[in-house]
């Protein structure tokens, strides 16, 4: 169980999956700070919105979410990846961040969130 | 001087010619007693007697014969009876030749010299071809009248014959050298030997002791009617065993008279001999590694005493032919092998090459030239490689050359058109008996297509994995959302299955288009068809739009929810209701409207279910637009607005 209630940004281009993640996070006692399904809105949210942690899908309608990760890293906001590609789909410099292989269980999500927060 | 009868006795046999001449009773000849001989004869005789060179004097009109010791060997068995007799009688066998020569000297009074003169002298009852150098010198009186002929000469038969043999051998060698095929060699050698020996039939047979067979491969025949043996095959074991056993020793078998030999031999042997139809035979066996491999035969129709030199010549020709045939065969094999190599190399899609033990290329097949426009020799091989690949290539090749280990390297080759293609080069060392590398055999193969295919396959597999994982995540979400809330297990199962099927149909549709997208019309048709047996209840109108796979999937699931809802609670739950689906396209936006009509009255639901949520929230994300549900009293209205750029598939982009 998470020790604290996190405000989380979801970057995910599959509506059903996003909805599911949302439900999982709510069930885990967290709050959804925002949802972006495209790179452009994701970049602006990552740069401006207030949240504790971000979950990033890697492939956003054909574009990678690594620019988003770059902004987050600069801002010092923890994040994790959730992707169908697995670790091999992650750019070299971000492989130290937690990676969730889709599909994943609520338990896996919880663990990854802890890891991400712990840095 | 007592005249004595010329009966042969021991003493007489040993007598020198001077004694014989003095013992001879000349008074009974036209020469008369010696004491009355003219000075000319006396002087000539004195010179003859003192000469170590064969010398004879033919005296008087009858050319009566006198000769010295050296000359005594010339007439063979005619000596000593030739003394004092007329030349014509002594030399009846060669008189047609020498008679005219004597006459010429007698008439003209001038001497003559005959060089390499052939004289067919009869010796031991047989005529022999003999060769001579001799001179006839007239002996004249003071008035110039020819009294006799002074003759000096010697036999040069041996020299002439050996010279001829040599000439023949040279001819055979020259002829055989120019021939490239074994059959030509056999044929030419048989003809040459046949002509030289004046034989009736000369041929070569190949012998295979393993299969007990003897095959006549080539034969020469004189014009005389004599049966041909060429092409015939017989069993070695059918030949007279004694003859075969003798031939196996490698010796030449010469038979002067077959009939004589066969007298008293077995009936079987006689039958074989008769079958040959000849009387004289020379057979030369050709052995290799103690096995009889071939035979040369010389046949004559009449009995013939074969001279040693003739048998020797037959053997000589046989050996020369065999050597020439072996050379021709090995050349043929070499040619075949070279031809094979050339075809292998030229028709091979790979570049084949060889390199010296130090790694230097010494042969590169033409294909390299076809690829790069250079020979591949010297520096041009390295220049044909991509600059980034050269160092690694040199290193790998250097390592292989140093260690004598197989070489295997992939690198890019610059083609004539300037483009690079991936190639794989491999080489293996050939070693000599001492284990040292004597040559490298290498090949370079174009693997560009293979590389591209491998790359495509790798991408495909990654993509497949990604899609499967994403689809599973979607399925997970559907299951999660379906099972949520207050719902019976049976209902949940039915809804879950229906949603999975909707997803599956959308996948089918996309697969048909190779996952490049799907037309909106097809998405609608596929989603609604299974629900309304009567297509009339759906009124679909709109211009063609090609959707991206994501948009197609999202709309499929959304339309599935709308249809299911309409069928259960909305317009399609009654008999009369219908659904109007229409859309319009602007430069920016696709606006799609779903409107239900003539169904039961509609009221806003107390609680939004999965379907509503999926439509309102999900489409927003997937279509980069918005979706609104209006629960109008005469029927549900759903308005979907999507960014045209976000939803359009590749086909639309192509248009």
């Amino acid at each position: 169980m998470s020790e604290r209630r996190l405000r989380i940004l979801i970057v995910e281009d599959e509506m059903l999956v996003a909805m599911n993640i949302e439900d999982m996070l709510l069930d885990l006692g967290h709050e959804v700070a925002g949802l972006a399904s495209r790179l452009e809105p994701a970049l602006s949210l990552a740069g401006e919105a207030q949240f504790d942690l971000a979950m990033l899908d890697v492939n956003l309608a054909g574009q990678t979410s690594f620019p988003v990760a770059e902004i987050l890293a600069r801002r010092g906001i923890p994040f994790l990846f959730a992707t169908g590609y697995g670790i091999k789909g992650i750019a070299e410099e971000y492989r130290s961040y937690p990676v969730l292989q889709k599909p994943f269980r609520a338990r896996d999500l919880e663990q990854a969130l802890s890891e991400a927060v712990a840095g | 001087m007592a005249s004595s009868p010329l009966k042969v006795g021991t003493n007489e046999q040993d007598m020198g010619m001077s004694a014989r001449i003095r013992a001879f009773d000349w008074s009974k000849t036209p020469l008369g007693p010696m004491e009355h001989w003219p000075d000319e004869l006396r002087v000539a005789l004195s010179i003859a007697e003192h000469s170590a060179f064969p010398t004879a004097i033919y005296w008087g009109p009858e050319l009566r014969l006198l000769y010295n010791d050296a000359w005594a060997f010339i007439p063979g068995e005619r000596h000593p009876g030739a003394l004092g007799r007329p030349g014509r009688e002594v030399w009846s066998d060669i008189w047609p030749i020498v008679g005219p020569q004597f006459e010429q000297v007698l008439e003209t009074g001038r001497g003559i010299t005959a060089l390499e003169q052939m004289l067919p002298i009869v010796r031991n009852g047989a005529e022999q071809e003999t060769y001579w150098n001799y001179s006839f010198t007239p002996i004249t009186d003071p008035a110039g009248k020819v009294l006799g002929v002074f003759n000096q000469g010697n036999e040069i038969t041996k020299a002439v014959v050996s010279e001829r043999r040599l000439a023949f051998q040279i001819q055979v060698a020259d002829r055989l050298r120019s021939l490239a095929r074994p059959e030509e060699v056999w044929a030419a050698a048989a003809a040459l030997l046949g002509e030289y020996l004046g034989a009736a039939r000369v041929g070569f047979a190949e012998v295979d002791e393993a299969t007990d067979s003897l095959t006549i491969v080539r034969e020469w025949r004189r014009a005389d009617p004599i049966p041909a043996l060429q092409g015939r095959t017989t069993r070695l074991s059918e030949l007279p065993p004694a003859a075969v056993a003798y031939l196996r020793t490698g010796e030449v078998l010469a038979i002067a008279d077959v009939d004589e030999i066969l007298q008293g031999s077995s009936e079987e042997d006689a039958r074989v001999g008769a079958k040959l139809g000849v009387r004289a035979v020379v057979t030369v066996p050709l052995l290799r590694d103690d096995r009889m491999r071939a035979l040369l035969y010389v046949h004559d129709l009449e009995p013939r005493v074969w001279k040693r030199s003739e048998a020797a010549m037959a053997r000589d020709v046989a050996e020369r032919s065999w050597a020439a045939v072996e050379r021709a065969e090995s050349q043929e094999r070499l040619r075949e092998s070279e031809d094979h190599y050339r075809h292998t190399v030229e028709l091979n899609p790979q570049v084949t090459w060889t390199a010296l033990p130090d790694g230097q290329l010494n042969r590169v097949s033409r294909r390299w030239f076809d690829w790069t426009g250079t020979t591949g020799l010297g520096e041009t091989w390295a220049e044909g490689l991509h600059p980034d690949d050269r160092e690694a290539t040199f290193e790998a090749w250097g390592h292989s050359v140093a260690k004598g280990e197989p070489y295997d390297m992939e690198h890019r080759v610059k083609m004539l058109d300037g483009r690079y293609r991936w190639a794989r080069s491999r080489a293996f060392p050939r070693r000599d008996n001492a284990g040292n590398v004597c040559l490298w055999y290498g090949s370079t193969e174009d693997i560009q297509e293979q590389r591209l295919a491998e790359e495509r396959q790798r991408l495909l597999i990654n993509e497949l994995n990604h899609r499967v994982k994403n689809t599973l995540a979607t399925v997970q979400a559907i299951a999660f959302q379906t099972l949520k809330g207050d719902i019976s297990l049976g209902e949940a199962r039915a809804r879950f299955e229906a949603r999975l099927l909707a997803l599956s149909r959308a996948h089918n549709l996309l697969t048909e288009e190779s996952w490049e997208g799907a037309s909106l019309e097809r998405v609608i048709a596929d989603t609604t068809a299974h629900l309304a047996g009567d297509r009339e209840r759906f009124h679909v109108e709109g211009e063609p739009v090609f959707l991206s796979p994501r948009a197609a999937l999202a709309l499929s699931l959304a339309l599935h929810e709308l249809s299911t809802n309409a069928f259960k609670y909305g317009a399609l739950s009654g008999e009369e209701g219908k659904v109007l689906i229409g859309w319009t396209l602007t430069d920016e936006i696709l606006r799609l409207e779903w409107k239900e009509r003539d169904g039961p009255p509609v009221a806003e639901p107390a609680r939004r279910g999965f379907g509503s949520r999926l439509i309102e929230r999900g489409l927003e994300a997937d279509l980069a637009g918005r979706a609104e549900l209006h629960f109008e009293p005469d029927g549900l209205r759903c308005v979907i607005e999507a960014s045209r750029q976000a939803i359009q598939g590749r086909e639309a982009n192509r248009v």
Side-chain angles (χ1 to χ4, degrees):
Chain A
M1 289 298 283
S2 300
E3 279 114 42
R4 64 184 177 104
R5 183 182 173 85
L6 298 168
R7 283 168 303 155
I8 297 170
L9 170 67
I10 302 172
V11 178
E12 167 62 60
D13 72 343
E14 288 269 350
M15 58 169 173
L16 268 169
V17 175
M19 281 167 64
N20 207 36
I21 290 171
E22 206 175 33
D23 286 351
M24 279 184 183
L25 289 173
L26 294 177
D27 286 351
L28 288 169
H30 300 298
E31 190 183 321
V32 175
L35 174 63
S37 61
R38 289 291 191 281
L39 182 60
E40 285 305 321
L43 285 172
S44 58
L45 282 173
E48 294 155 19
Q50 293 303 312
F51 51 94
D52 303 315
L53 186 144
M55 278 185 70
L56 307 179
D57 182 12
V58 173
N59 187 335
L60 300 175
Q63 292 174 296
T64 73
S65 61
F66 299 128
V68 180
E70 198 185 327
I71 293 172
L72 296 171
R74 203 166 55 231
R75 284 183 70 188
I77 299 174
F79 59 92
L80 61 88
F81 293 101
T83 172
Y85 287 115
I87 187 80
K88 275 192 262 174
I90 306 295
E92 205 72 50
E93 59 264 46
Y94 301 117
R95 288 204 178 161
S96 59
Y97 291 87
V99 177
L100 276 172
Q101 162 82 62
K102 286 181 185 173
F104 50 82
R105 295 171 299 182
R107 227 192 310 168
D108 303 324
L109 174 58
E110 190 179 13
Q111 166 123 21
L113 290 172
S114 306
E115 280 175 33
V117 171
Chain B
M1 203 140 310
S3 72
S4 62
L6 289 176
K7 285 298 148 203
V8 178
T10 309
N11 288 341
E12 287 195 356
Q13 193 76 330
D14 293 341
M15 275 169 90
M17 283 310 296
S18 293
R20 282 187 192 281
I21 291 167
R22 274 155 192 85
F24 194 81
D25 182 5
W26 294 102
S27 60
K28 289 184 175 148
T29 72
L31 273 64
M34 281 185 83
E35 50 271 29
H36 296 149
W37 285 3
D39 288 344
E40 287 85 352
L41 180 52
R42 288 174 187 278
V43 171
L45 182 60
S46 168
I47 294 170
E49 280 177 335
H50 290 102
S51 174
F53 203 72
T55 310
I57 297 163
Y58 293 86
W59 197 259
E62 287 183 3
L63 299 170
R64 293 273 174 166
L65 187 56
L66 297 96
Y67 52 92
N68 67 3
D69 290 327
W71 198 92
F73 299 99
I74 290 174
E77 66 269 28
R78 291 170 234 202
H79 167 73
L83 184 64
R85 290 182 59 206
R88 178 192 295 270
E89 282 175 27
V90 174
W91 292 121
S92 59
D93 46 355
I94 59 169
W95 203 250
I97 295 169
V98 296
Q101 293 174 336
F102 277 113
E103 259 164 52
Q104 191 188 332
V105 174
L106 295 175
E107 278 169 22
T108 64
R110 284 200 298 272
I112 64 159
T113 301
L115 295 174
E116 287 190 25
Q117 173 68 60
M118 194 280 279
L119 298 175
I121 295 177
V122 175
R123 282 173 177 162
N124 301 318
E127 184 181 288
Q128 283 181 17
E129 230 174 66
T130 61
Y131 293 85
W132 301 84
N133 286 340
Y134 57 85
S135 63
F136 287 160
T137 310
I139 304 167
T140 55
D141 63 11
K145 181 180 179 255
V146 180
L147 302 173
V149 174
F150 192 78
N151 163 229
Q152 286 195 302
N154 62 338
E155 183 172 3
I156 53 162
T157 303
K158 275 190 179 160
V160 168
V161 166
S162 70
E163 199 175 297
R164 279 195 173 187
R165 242 181 254 148
L166 193 63
F168 175 70
Q169 285 170 315
I170 290 170
Q171 186 191 7
V172 170
D174 284 349
R175 182 88 181 87
L176 299 189
R177 194 178 303 120
S178 67
L179 301 175
R181 290 172 45 234
E183 312 83 66
E184 292 174 341
V185 170
W186 296 131
L192 287 170
L193 186 63
E195 297 283 359
Y196 178 79
L197 295 179
R201 188 165 62 190
V202 175
F204 285 92
E206 281 181 351
V207 177
D208 188 342
E209 293 203 76
T211 59
D212 186 35
S213 69
L214 184 152
T215 307
I216 313 290
V217 287
R218 275 293 182 277
E219 188 179 69
W220 169 89
R221 280 178 298 142
R222 205 163 53 198
D224 296 0
I226 174 167
L229 301 178
Q230 183 166 323
R232 278 204 216 166
T233 296
T234 181
R235 287 173 179 283
L236 206 54
S237 55
E238 282 177 9
L239 302 180
V244 174
Y246 184 80
L247 291 172
R248 279 212 177 92
T249 66
E251 291 298 320
V252 177
L253 176 65
I255 300 171
D257 189 346
V258 174
D259 291 0
E260 191 183 328
I261 292 268
L262 291 178
Q263 272 172 17
S265 70
S266 75
E267 230 173 76
E268 177 68 6
D269 288 359
R271 194 180 56 77
V272 173
K275 226 163 70 175
L276 283 175
V278 294
R279 291 290 294 275
V281 176
V282 172
T283 305
V284 183
L286 287 161
L287 274 63
R288 282 296 179 273
D289 303 325
D290 284 337
R291 294 183 80 84
M292 204 177 346
R293 303 284 300 280
L295 290 176
L296 164 74
Y297 56 85
V298 181
H299 290 165
D300 228 337
L301 296 173
E302 297 306 323
R304 172 169 175 172
V305 178
W306 300 101
K307 288 184 208 152
R308 278 227 303 272
S309 64
E310 289 173 329
M313 189 56 80
R315 169 181 282 284
D316 183 72
V317 169
E319 292 289 352
R320 281 173 198 276
S321 307
W322 183 245
V325 163
E326 284 187 324
R327 193 193 63 232
E329 281 174 345
S330 81
Q331 274 176 352
E332 210 161 67
R333 277 195 298 274
L334 185 65
R335 204 165 36 241
E336 174 64 27
S337 154
E338 277 177 353
D339 210 39
H340 175 74
Y341 173 79
R342 202 171 54 78
H343 272 77
T344 307
V345 166
E346 284 182 6
L347 300 180
N348 199 325
Q350 306 179 349
V351 176
T352 51
W353 45 270
T354 55
L356 300 173
D358 66 358
Q360 194 72 30
L361 288 165
N362 67 337
R363 187 157 57 169
V364 177
S365 74
R366 214 197 119 77
R367 195 156 298 275
W368 180 264
F369 183 83
D370 297 340
W371 284 6
T372 65
T374 68
T375 60
L377 296 170
E379 295 299 309
T380 63
W381 180 276
E383 282 163 8
L385 298 179
H386 193 289
D388 293 351
D389 298 342
R390 282 178 202 166
E391 201 183 314
T393 299
F394 293 157
E395 200 173 301
W397 178 234
H399 176 84
S400 289
V401 168
K403 303 268 182 185
E405 287 169 7
Y407 166 73
D408 192 346
M409 185 72 196
E410 290 188 7
H411 40 211
R412 283 158 290 181
V413 173
K414 190 174 189 179
M415 298 293 169
L416 262 179
D417 63 3
R419 275 187 259 183
Y420 287 99
R421 288 180 76 84
W422 279 100
R424 180 179 182 184
S425 292
R426 276 174 286 190
F428 294 90
R430 194 179 101 198
R431 295 173 188 280
D432 59 20
N433 290 336
N436 298 315
V437 174
C438 52
L439 201 63
W440 287 87
Y441 288 85
S443 67
T444 297
E445 165 191 15
D446 185 329
I447 56 163
Q448 179 74 5
E449 296 305 321
Q450 193 186 325
R451 274 233 166 186
L452 289 180
E454 280 168 7
E455 178 67 11
R456 274 196 298 271
Q457 190 174 16
R458 198 177 57 75
L459 287 174
L460 267 176
I461 288 170
N462 282 347
E463 187 57 27
L464 179 66
N465 184 42
H466 171 239
R467 284 193 186 167
V468 167
K469 293 292 165 57
N470 276 349
T471 302
L472 286 174
T474 304
V475 170
Q476 181 192 29
I478 291 172
F480 199 87
Q481 299 298 331
T482 304
L483 295 170
K484 214 165 63 169
D486 187 13
I487 186 171
S488 77
L489 187 61
E491 179 63 16
R493 204 169 80 179
R495 286 187 191 180
F496 181 63
E497 282 173 353
R499 283 164 179 158
L500 272 190
L501 282 173
L503 188 64
S504 165
R505 276 192 301 273
H507 275 236
N508 282 346
L509 185 54
L510 288 168
T511 302
E512 273 178 36
E513 300 282 351
S514 305
W515 277 82
E516 285 180 355
S519 78
L520 176 56
E521 224 174 333
R522 276 295 303 278
V523 169
I524 292 168
D526 276 22
T527 315
T528 57
H530 68 289
L531 287 172
D534 183 359
R535 291 290 302 274
E536 291 300 307
R537 305 185 74 178
F538 286 94
H539 297 266
V540 181
E541 202 176 326
E543 58 189 295
V545 181
F546 199 75
L547 302 169
S548 70
R550 275 172 52 85
L553 272 176
L555 272 174
S556 289
L557 291 176
L559 288 168
H560 166 75
E561 296 300 324
L562 284 169
S563 304
T564 306
N565 187 68
F567 193 70
K568 278 187 177 166
Y569 316 108
L572 300 180
S573 62
E575 294 296 316
E576 301 299 319
K578 56 183 183 268
V579 179
L580 310 176
I581 306 171
W583 64 91
T584 53
L585 260 181
T586 68
D587 286 346
E588 306 274 304
I589 287 171
L590 168 72
R591 187 175 183 281
L592 185 143
E593 187 180 284
W594 168 289
K595 175 63 184 170
E596 297 180 23
R597 286 269 171 82
D598 304 333
V602 171
E604 177 116 17
R607 199 172 65 87
R608 291 294 167 95
F610 170 60
S612 304
R613 213 174 143 213
L614 181 129
I615 291 162
E616 286 178 327
R617 299 262 328 264
L619 284 184
E620 235 175 85
D622 275 333
L623 302 183
R626 57 190 187 86
E628 287 171 0
L629 286 167
H630 304 282
F631 296 89
E632 296 171 349
D634 64 334
L636 178 77
R637 176 196 301 274
C638 176
V639 177
I640 299 167
E641 283 184 356
S643 147
R644 189 168 168 177
Q645 191 232 333
I647 58 148
Q648 270 190 337
R650 236 182 264 176
E651 188 178 281
N653 289 340
R654 283 203 299 265
V655 170

